[in-house]
Amino acid sequence: MARFTLPRDLYHGKGSLEELKNLKGERAIIVVGGGSMKKFGFLDRAVEYLKDAGMEVKVFEGVEPDPSVETVMKGAQVMREFNPDWIVSMGGGSPIDAAKAMWAFYEYPDTTFEQLITPFSFPSLRTKAKFCAIPSTSGTATEVTAFSVITDYSKGIKYPLADFNITPDVAIVDPELAETMPKKLTAHTGMDAMTHAIEAYVSTLHCDYTDPLALHAIKMIHTYLKKSFDGDMEARDKMHNAQCLAGMAFSNALLGIVHSMAHKTGAAYSGGHIVHGCANAMYLPKVIKYNSKNSEAAERYAYIAKFIGLEGNTVDELVDALINELKSMNKALEIPSCIKEYEGGIIDEAEFNSKLKDVAALAISDACTGSNPRQPSQEEMEKLLTACFYDKEIDF
């Protein structure tokens, strides 16, 4: 038996933010990030809509990129003091992910973060509040997923929390919010969405319910991402839908080792963070090459290539065509080809190599590895990470 879970209601299209007026409750807390939602007026609109719904409203601001355990605990404490029956989070993946984790600690104050790391181990939620997610970026799709990524900075590790309990009750996918994204964010979030869709399609848990969502998302992203990056707002609106479809697919089919590697390299180095979407974009071509040694995965990669109009006479040729197309997309989106080139070389080569064994082990143990079509050994994961650092071609 398999399970397919999505939000109870998903509102989409321009102006759908106004649906907040129809939520039923007494108190709502809005969780937001660094200020873009306030700057562009969306936060004020959300507050007014919730007040129109007859609710008392409190705002929790300042969730950082790659939200920390400390921020989650601070937000949960504010929730316990305010006692909301709606948690509304708007912005990029970070505030929504943070709010999902806050939700668990709000309803279960005695739960520890360590207890939630084990996939699908959350206690039953909705004892105090329901959850509404409103994305402003077109990539994470956390508004429709059973996932949240929280960083333990003391350990330098990003933890993907996974449980169907944290799938939001309501998602509002209003493309007006995404039209404010800068170019680099558009590129990184877009390739994050592409990785979601491709990994979902080749996941060992893919099914008839997830495959159509993944394939349509891949085609839309391939068609619209570069145009969105170049400032075409109609394409930007299409990307907001595409990333959501990719999220529906991967939330139910799960992901693979591109994400395992991105999670475990993201906060591992003293030079700075590797932005999640950029990490996925850099690692995806190498992982496709590695996974294509699995015949079923190779056939599915080849089908993706044909589905988006690439040419090739054999499975191997089609897989290579897909890899080359993704590399071309990265180049057009000004995404570096490897970790060594990331942000002008902020990740120190010696530090990378000194931590390689431990980071590889952590990536293997990541929650996303289990549904990858090929299970890497320690040696293989070290080779993969090395290939991603130097942009090397390795025969796996």
Side-chain angles (χ1 to χ4, degrees):
M1 185 184 77
R3 178 173 176 175
F4 187 86
T5 300
L6 295 175
R8 171 65 178 79
D9 294 298
L10 191 154
Y11 301 95
H12 58 94
K14 287 191 175 183
S16 53
L17 183 63
E18 192 171 355
E19 187 59 31
L20 289 172
K21 287 183 177 180
N22 295 319
L23 296 185
K24 307 297 182 184
E26 295 183 1
R27 287 175 299 280
I29 186 167
I30 302 178
V31 179
V32 292
S36 63
M37 292 297 93
K38 178 183 285 187
K39 175 182 176 182
F40 293 107
F42 295 114
L43 177 57
D44 287 343
R45 284 166 58 183
V47 169
E48 289 306 311
Y49 290 148
L50 290 167
K51 287 181 177 178
D52 288 345
M55 285 193 255
E56 181 183 352
V57 182
K58 187 175 187 64
V59 177
F60 181 88
E61 299 182 72
V63 175
E64 72 274 41
D66 301 313
S68 65
V69 176
E70 290 76 15
T71 295
V72 167
M73 296 306 184
K74 182 179 177 182
Q77 179 59 36
V78 172
M79 289 179 186
R80 287 192 290 271
E81 293 168 358
F82 182 60
N83 198 31
D85 42 24
W86 274 101
I87 299 168
V88 177
S89 187
M90 62 190 306
S94 294
I96 298 174
D97 279 6
K100 286 179 175 180
M102 292 172 191
W103 188 15
F105 292 110
Y106 165 48
E107 298 203 358
Y108 295 91
D110 295 331
T111 297
T112 66
F113 185 71
E114 286 70 26
Q115 288 174 298
L116 301 185
I117 292 172
T118 303
F120 303 97
S121 63
F122 274 62
S124 295
L125 297 178
R126 297 166 181 82
T127 63
K128 295 181 180 179
K130 292 182 179 180
F131 195 100
C132 174
I134 309 166
S136 66
T137 61
S138 301
T140 69
T142 188
E143 73 275 5
V144 293
T145 75
F147 296 93
S148 164
V149 180
I150 305 299
T151 302
D152 185 334
Y153 286 91
S154 67
K155 297 178 180 178
I157 298 174
K158 289 185 177 182
Y159 289 103
L161 308 181
D163 198 285
F164 288 115
N165 269 290
I166 57 172
T167 304
D169 298 280
V170 175
I172 297 176
V173 185
D174 189 332
E176 288 185 9
L177 280 69
E179 290 178 1
T180 64
M181 286 193 297
K183 288 187 70 169
K184 182 179 282 191
L185 185 59
T186 299
H188 292 169
T189 55
M191 288 307 293
D192 189 17
M194 179 65 94
T195 306
H196 290 156
I198 291 176
E199 288 208 296
Y201 190 69
V202 302
S203 163
T204 57
L205 296 176
H206 75 84
C207 67
D208 291 339
Y209 293 85
T210 60
D211 282 354
L213 294 165
L215 283 171
H216 191 57
I218 290 165
K219 179 170 277 188
M220 289 182 73
I221 296 164
H222 183 246
T223 300
Y224 294 112
L225 177 52
K226 180 57 166 60
K227 295 176 183 176
S228 175
F229 178 73
D230 290 336
D232 181 331
M233 288 302 146
E234 184 176 346
R236 185 76 55 89
D237 294 356
K238 292 287 190 181
M239 277 298 304
H240 211 43
N241 289 334
Q243 65 86 30
C244 189
L245 296 174
M248 294 178 188
F250 91 77
S251 186
N252 292 280
L254 305 187
L255 293 163
I257 59 173
V258 178
H259 273 77
S260 302
M261 294 159 64
H263 290 151
K264 295 326 187 228
T265 56
Y269 310 111
S270 59
H273 282 209
I274 303 174
V275 173
H276 179 72
C278 186
N280 282 336
M282 293 189 295
Y283 307 164
L284 181 58
K286 295 289 189 292
V287 169
I288 290 175
K289 190 69 173 179
Y290 171 79
N291 282 343
S292 67
K293 298 298 182 182
N294 174 292
S295 60
E296 182 182 350
E299 292 281 355
R300 294 181 76 80
Y301 287 132
Y303 189 85
I304 290 171
K306 288 189 288 186
F307 191 74
I308 62 174
L310 304 182
E311 295 184 356
N313 295 316
T314 65
V315 169
D316 287 346
E317 287 179 2
L318 286 164
V319 171
D320 286 342
L322 178 61
I323 290 169
N324 290 332
E325 183 67 8
L326 291 168
K327 288 180 177 179
S328 295
M329 288 181 69
N330 284 345
K331 186 174 181 179
L333 296 168
E334 301 173 9
I335 291 173
S337 61
C338 60
I339 300 171
K340 189 175 182 180
E341 296 177 3
Y342 178 74
E343 293 293 323
I346 64 170
I347 307 303
D348 180 71
E349 182 177 359
E351 183 183 13
F352 173 85
N353 286 312
S354 71
K355 293 182 174 179
L356 177 60
K357 183 176 181 179
D358 289 342
V359 171
L362 289 168
I364 291 171
S365 67
D366 187 271
C368 294
T369 299
S371 48
N372 194 69
R374 187 180 175 192
Q375 292 299 298
S377 66
Q378 174 73 23
E379 180 184 5
E380 288 170 338
M381 181 57 77
E382 289 180 22
K383 285 184 177 180
L384 264 173
L385 288 165
T386 300
C388 290
F389 187 87
Y390 296 104
D391 193 22
K392 285 184 177 179
E393 296 298 329
I394 297 178
D395 183 6
F396 295 106

